Every structure is written in C-alpha cells, then in structure tokens.
Amino acid sequence: YGKRWLMWKPTLHCQFPDEFKQVVITMMMASRRRESPVYLLQDEVVLFVLNKCMWYDFGTKSIDDKRQGIMLGGVREAGRAM
C-alpha cells in the first residue's frame, strides 16, 4: 500500500507533507478557540477526523506525480520552441 495509504496520527506527524502538517496545526488551534465550531468536539474526535483525512487531497502530490509534472512541463516547452 505504500505511503499513500498512511493514516495520520500524532506519532507519525513528521512523515507527512508540509501542506498536510499545516492542516493538522490549524485544526488543533481551532479546537482550542472558543469561537470555533471545532471547539465543541472532544480531542479524540478531532484526532479521529485527522486520521481519516486523505492527506494527499490537500494540494500535495506524491513524488511520482511531481516527476511526471516535470517531464510533461519539459515536453510542453520543447513543443513551443518549434
């Protein structure tokens, strides 16, 4: 299954992309602010929600996707030069 299916939990936080880490930090901060709807959730619920989030849906791409984009970008640029 590889890293794509890795589910978030506090002990694995450092293994996730920066974009998703920022989501986690934002949710944790929101859970401490009284004016936030997330404040109404128990800590365990917030952690559960983060665990079920598909981290790659937050603007992150796998290394293979990034390589593919670089390759396609190079092909497009070469085609324009002709």
Side-chain angles (χ1 to χ4, degrees):
Y1 292 94
K3 191 167 183 163
R4 183 177 178 121
W5 303 112
L6 184 65
M7 297 178 83
W8 183 88
K9 58 184 174 180
T11 57
L12 297 176
H13 182 75
C14 64
Q15 295 182 24
F16 286 83
D18 291 339
E19 294 89 344
F20 188 73
K21 288 180 190 176
Q22 189 60 45
V23 169
V24 171
I25 291 168
T26 301
M27 285 288 289
M28 296 303 228
M29 289 189 314
S31 73
R32 298 295 181 245
R33 294 182 63 110
R34 290 185 185 270
E35 62 272 13
S36 170
V38 182
Y39 179 80
L40 300 173
L41 302 174
Q42 295 176 356
D43 290 342
E44 293 81 12
V45 174
V46 175
L47 295 175
F48 180 80
V49 168
L50 290 168
N51 178 261
K52 297 301 178 190
C53 286
M54 300 299 178
W55 60 266
Y56 49 83
D57 285 339
F58 288 90
T60 60
K61 294 185 176 183
S62 70
I63 293 171
D64 292 335
D65 290 343
K66 288 180 182 178
R67 285 187 196 137
Q68 183 69 16
I70 291 169
M71 289 171 46
L72 288 175
V75 170
R76 288 186 193 127
E77 289 175 18
R80 289 183 191 152
M82 291 183 182

